[in-house]
Amino acid sequence: MRFGTAGVPNCSKDRSTIGGIRTIRELGLDAMEVQFVRGVKMGIDMAKQVKEVAESLNVKLSVHAPYYINMNADGVKLKGSIERLKKTVEIGGIFAKDIVFHPGYYLKHSKETTYRRIRDNLKPVVEFARDRGVMLRPETTGKPTQFGDLEETLRLCQELEILPCIDFAHIHARYRAFNSYEEFCQILETVENTLGSDALKMLHVHVSGIEYGLKGEKRHLNLKESDFKYEDLLRALKDFSVDGTIIVESPNLEEDALMLKKLWLEIE
């Protein structure tokens, strides 16, 4: 498993993407998720430089697409969502093979109608990404108003032949459950049964502490300040012989990432 941060580590004096990659390597971590969440503000030339530096330092990069994507929208909003996701693939795909995104919101539609609309609207974008060797990864989401519970995320991946981003903190917040070794194993079994054992060898995971209420996710917390049972999660991942990347979204970023990596290496 590779461990890294969602964005440039807090301790990095150079706040650029390249500066963040160098800090990741200095810290002894091995992954970073480049944050395009406020928009794709990187050009092709810089993306090529990012690729060169990451490869030279053996740091695996992924990308988080802009937040303002809703593949269940209509008209101008849908067109803009498609354009933003394609732009993320175009630029992020130069240095990363995994693009994480939030598919959308239910709005006034039923879950089934929302599913079909998102699936159909995503099909050309998936092909656009596949042609560039990029994997689109819909993320499990933390609020009941957001499309992206575990079942529909995996169903979407199965039908479109893509892979998910499993955010265990979001799942915990959304269901107010799935916070034990047995329940983490249940999630991994569901992924394996739906997408095959290969999906567990290319797993992309988000982890953080999380504050939640009746409406799901409120905000991210540092792991030790939350109720999230991260040691149970690591043990489950280890017992399923999972390979892939764990991206930490806690406010303290690299501190929790380093803690998880240390714990991972200590688990027999």
Side-chain angles (χ1 to χ4, degrees):
M1 293 295 290
R2 289 175 177 259
F3 291 80
T5 59
V8 175
N10 293 328
C11 68
S12 183
K13 293 180 179 178
D14 182 346
R15 304 304 301 167
S16 69
T17 299
I18 287 176
I21 294 167
R22 289 179 172 141
T23 302
I24 285 288
R25 178 47 60 210
E26 290 167 4
L27 288 167
L29 295 170
D30 24 53
M32 190 175 87
E33 193 154 281
V34 177
Q35 302 293 285
F36 285 170
V37 295
R38 306 297 177 192
V40 182
K41 300 173 183 178
M42 183 185 292
I44 291 174
D45 290 342
M46 178 54 66
K48 290 179 179 178
Q49 292 179 47
V50 167
K51 173 184 171 69
E52 183 178 340
V53 172
E55 287 182 348
S56 70
L57 296 176
N58 191 25
V59 173
K60 183 180 180 182
L61 298 179
S62 55
V63 176
H64 199 303
Y67 286 141
Y68 30 96
I69 286 173
N70 186 4
M71 303 303 289
N72 188 34
D74 293 299
V76 173
K77 289 185 178 180
L78 176 60
K79 182 181 178 182
S81 295
I82 292 172
E83 288 175 352
R84 281 187 281 274
L85 194 48
K86 281 187 171 182
K87 185 68 173 178
T88 304
V89 170
E90 180 186 348
I91 299 298
I94 292 173
F95 56 80
K97 296 303 180 187
D98 294 301
I99 307 289
V100 176
F101 71 105
H102 299 167
Y105 295 82
Y106 298 112
L107 303 176
K108 296 180 180 180
H109 299 291
S110 69
K111 289 192 68 169
E112 183 60 29
T113 297
T114 300
Y115 174 83
R116 290 197 303 267
R117 286 166 57 90
I118 286 178
R119 178 199 61 198
D120 293 346
N121 288 332
L122 272 174
K123 283 179 179 177
V125 190
V126 168
E127 289 304 315
F128 181 83
R130 188 172 288 132
D131 289 345
R132 287 156 180 77
V134 172
M135 178 65 68
L136 286 181
R137 288 184 178 262
E139 180 179 350
T140 53
T141 52
K143 296 178 181 179
T145 56
Q146 293 174 294
F147 175 91
D149 66 24
L150 180 63
E151 180 183 1
E152 61 198 3
T153 299
L154 296 181
R155 179 185 171 194
L156 187 69
C157 289
Q158 185 179 44
E159 288 201 35
L160 295 180
E161 298 183 342
I162 55 179
L163 293 171
C165 169
I166 303 295
D167 190 315
F168 285 92
H170 281 169
I171 293 173
H172 175 39
R174 187 178 186 115
Y175 294 97
R176 285 179 289 160
F178 292 103
N179 193 31
S180 67
Y181 171 82
E182 292 76 16
E183 289 170 312
F184 294 138
C185 288
Q186 182 183 337
I187 292 172
L188 295 172
E189 285 176 359
T190 303
V191 172
E192 184 174 31
N193 290 339
T194 307
L195 302 178
S197 57
D198 285 350
L200 295 184
K201 298 301 182 183
M202 298 179 284
L203 205 64
H204 193 82
V205 171
H206 282 182
V207 174
S208 72
I210 199 155
E211 180 183 345
Y212 57 92
L214 293 176
K215 296 183 179 180
E217 173 193 12
K218 289 185 176 180
R219 64 188 177 103
H220 290 169
L221 300 172
N222 297 330
L223 285 168
K224 289 184 177 179
E225 297 166 8
S226 75
D227 70 350
F228 189 73
K229 296 181 180 178
Y230 51 91
E231 292 185 64
D232 283 6
L233 172 61
L234 291 181
R235 195 172 300 111
L237 293 171
K238 199 91 169 188
D239 286 348
F240 273 76
S241 301
V242 166
D243 290 330
T245 303
I246 295 179
I247 295 295
V248 173
E249 295 186 311
S250 302
N252 66 10
L253 288 176
E254 64 268 27
E255 292 179 39
D256 275 357
L258 287 166
M259 178 182 71
L260 291 182
K261 183 172 183 178
K262 182 175 183 293
L263 288 170
W264 177 262
L265 296 173
E266 291 173 351
I267 295 174
E268 295 295 335

